[in-house]
Amino acid sequence: MATRPISPQDHERIAAAIRAAESKTDGEIYCVVAHASNGYFFPAAFMATSGMLIVSLAVAYGLEAWWLSIRLPHFVIVQLLALASVLVLLWALPNLRIHLVPRRQRYQAAHDNALRQFLARNVHRTTARTGVLVFVSIAERYAEVVADSGINSKVGQHVWDGVIRDLTQHAGDDRLADGFVKAIGQVGAVLAEHFPVTSGDANELDDHLVEI
């Protein structure tokens, strides 16, 4: 997914897109991009340890089949040294960890982070419950649109799926800022259709992209 930093100019473009979209709707749009949703040290260590145990078992059966012998204390010491080496490697190279974690677990971590951001950024506290979070987690290659209850009662998930598909495609092409701008326009159009702007509408959420 995206690796290029989001420039100040891109931040301004995204903020302008949010303001333009919200000028036509009572809804509120909030954008968050996370560089990663979890450190993954313990999940990666678990997977690495499990793999080493399986390899150790295969080696033990192989030694027995070839009529080779090794003292049990030496075999255990080798295992412990190998495990310690792997843990040090995972600690020193955090970018390696995520590759040892199943995709389903990575997506779950990113989804949980999206929900945390939805609550932490008060997207759920708009007056008419019409807040929408556009969320991307770069390390997990994950994007999600989280809409409040006032929107979900009128807009089906398939609508957000299309927004997510376009956003992840842009991010995959290293055009994350362009993806956010397009996603904001799409979300704004949906909100304008179901929640057109009314007199007295107040801006309840900050109009900018948050990086975490």
Side-chain angles (χ1 to χ4, degrees), residues 2 6 11 13 20 34 38 58 61 90 106 108 111 113 119 123 126 130 132 135 137 172 194 210:
I6 300 176
H11 272 279
R13 284 203 300 132
N38 193 302
Y61 274 111
L90 291 176
R106 300 198 303 264
Q108 185 62 50
H111 170 70
N113 193 16
L119 298 175
V123 184
T126 59
T130 54
V132 177
F135 175 84
S137 194
H194 296 281
V210 174

Side-chain angles (χ1 to χ4, degrees), residues 186-205:
Q186 292 172 314
V187 171
V190 173
L191 293 178
E193 177 183 353
H194 296 281
F195 307 95
V197 67
T198 58
S199 60
D201 175 54
N203 188 18
E204 299 180 72
L205 298 174

Side-chain angles (χ1 to χ4, degrees), residues 35-195:
H35 294 279
S37 290
N38 193 302
Y40 296 108
F41 179 80
F42 291 107
F46 174 79
M47 295 300 296
T49 302
S50 300
M52 288 183 58
L53 290 175
I54 293 172
V55 171
S56 296
L57 183 62
V59 169
Y61 274 111
L63 292 174
E64 183 178 9
W66 295 329
W67 292 82
L68 299 175
S69 63
I70 182 173
R71 293 187 60 192
L72 185 58
H74 293 168
F75 188 73
V76 173
I77 289 172
V78 170
Q79 285 184 307
L80 292 176
L81 289 175
L83 178 59
S85 299
V86 169
L87 294 180
V88 169
L89 188 64
L90 291 176
W91 176 80
L93 300 175
N95 292 336
L96 177 64
R97 302 170 192 169
I98 196 169
H99 299 291
L100 299 178
V101 179
R103 178 182 298 178
R104 182 176 180 180
Q105 189 171 354
R106 300 198 303 264
Y107 283 3
Q108 185 62 50
H111 170 70
D112 292 343
N113 193 16
L115 296 182
R116 285 196 302 271
Q117 297 304 316
F118 183 80
L119 298 175
R121 309 292 174 175
N122 293 324
V123 184
H124 66 300
R125 300 191 66 179
T126 59
T127 302
R129 304 299 297 270
T130 54
V132 177
L133 172 70
V134 181
F135 175 84
V136 171
S137 194
I138 295 174
E140 291 81 4
R141 301 176 179 269
Y142 182 89
E144 183 172 356
V145 174
V146 184
D148 208 346
S149 57
I151 300 171
N152 283 333
S153 61
K154 297 184 178 182
V155 181
Q157 181 59 41
H158 68 281
V159 176
W160 306 134
D161 289 342
V163 176
I164 293 167
R165 184 167 53 250
D166 290 342
L167 180 54
T168 53
Q169 182 176 348
H170 277 81
D173 295 336
D174 206 6
R175 295 188 296 126
L176 182 57
D178 293 338
F180 266 109
V181 170
K182 183 174 182 180
I184 291 163
Q186 292 172 314
V187 171
V190 173
L191 293 178
E193 177 183 353
H194 296 281
F195 307 95

